[in-house]
Amino acid sequence: MADHTHSLQQQVAIVTGASTGIGRQTAFALAEAGATVVVNYIGSRTPADDVVGQIKEGGGRALAIEADISREDQVEAMFKQAIDQFGTVHILVNNAGIEKDCAFTEMTLADWQKVIDVNLTGQFLCSRAAIREYLRRGPQPGISKATGKIVCISSVHQRIPWAKHANYAASKGGVMLLVQTLAQEFASRKIRVNSVAPGAIKTAINHAAWATEDALDKLLEMIPYGRIGDAEDVGNAVVWLCSDAADYVTGTTLVVDGGMTLYPSFSTGDG
């Protein structure tokens, strides 16, 4: 008998920052599970069109929408366009994020504010728009057990302090409690809110950490599982959290890090 617990058929998903990296692979994973995918992007349209094209070639449905998620008007316009096109939204993946690393004493207010605006305020704006739509639409039990799902892409740095990345770590710590608070507030309305906290994932944002053999060897010292993660690892986790297989899961963080948060320097038991 076929297992339909991971199926996202008839569901519409918005993935922010979906033209590259983790967002790109998450869009592919959601489409493979049957979802219609809104590919959010900013800047060059070509990578977003490539994602849409590949999804359509595979028999799926997708639409690219440009929006700066730190801008309220652009977020509202993106959701309106998606709802006008597809009728509603069932899934939001808050993936878009940036880094602007700097020694704390040299960090400008602009560098602090930009990271908070995208990584935290952007997740607030998109989550608010999604929840408003879920409440407007109401349950569709024939499509999904939950009225709506949100998955926020956080980071192991919601737990691990990170020198010279105070803005980034603060934004991800904020995401953690945003997720928990929204999950608490809307669980009674059957809206599930969770997060995925990736560790070291092979994407352009951390290219310097794995681009050379020496850099990769140093990075692997922090990963007990012995490999750097792929964006597909995160995408697969997102699909599970969005599926009915995870219907009793809300307010939690699924850490996808090969054991980075297990304090590998203590693994020998010495001392």
Side-chain angles (χ1 to χ4, degrees), residues 82-217:
I83 294 164
D84 287 348
Q85 181 82 14
F86 299 119
T88 189
V89 174
H90 303 87
I91 294 164
L92 167 66
V93 182
N94 277 318
N95 168 74
I98 61 171
E99 292 180 20
K100 285 186 174 289
D101 53 303
C102 181
F104 186 72
T105 51
E106 305 302 319
M107 187 175 291
T108 66
L109 178 58
D111 286 343
W112 170 270
Q113 195 66 60
K114 183 62 177 177
V115 171
I116 298 298
D117 284 349
V118 174
N119 294 9
L120 185 55
T121 304
Q123 296 212 16
F124 154 70
L125 290 170
C126 291
S127 296
R128 187 183 65 178
I131 291 171
R132 285 173 173 172
E133 171 59 15
Y134 301 159
L135 295 175
R136 181 202 67 80
R137 169 176 44 77
Q140 292 181 319
I143 294 177
S144 172
K145 290 182 179 179
T147 301
K149 285 88 58 139
I150 296 174
V151 178
C152 297
I153 304 302
S154 182
S155 166
V156 291
H157 294 293
Q158 71 176 38
R159 291 169 54 179
I160 302 173
W162 199 12
K164 299 183 180 179
H165 295 77
N167 46 6
Y168 185 85
S171 73
K172 296 303 183 178
V175 167
M176 178 181 67
L177 275 170
L178 177 65
V179 165
Q180 292 174 355
T181 301
L182 294 180
Q184 179 193 66
E185 186 170 348
F186 293 102
S188 65
R189 306 300 296 271
K190 294 298 184 286
I191 294 171
R192 298 195 294 108
V193 186
N194 293 289
S195 63
V196 173
I201 306 295
K202 194 173 184 180
T203 62
I205 198 172
N206 61 6
H207 180 264
W210 53 264
T212 67
E213 186 175 344
D214 287 346
L216 181 58
D217 287 345

Side-chain angles (χ1 to χ4, degrees), residues 18-19 24 27-28 31 37-39 45-64:
S19 62
R24 178 185 178 90
F28 290 146
V37 182
V38 173
V39 177
R45 185 181 179 92
T46 302
D49 283 341
D50 179 64
V51 175
V52 169
Q54 290 193 51
I55 290 173
K56 289 182 175 180
E57 286 174 12
R61 296 200 303 169
L63 173 69

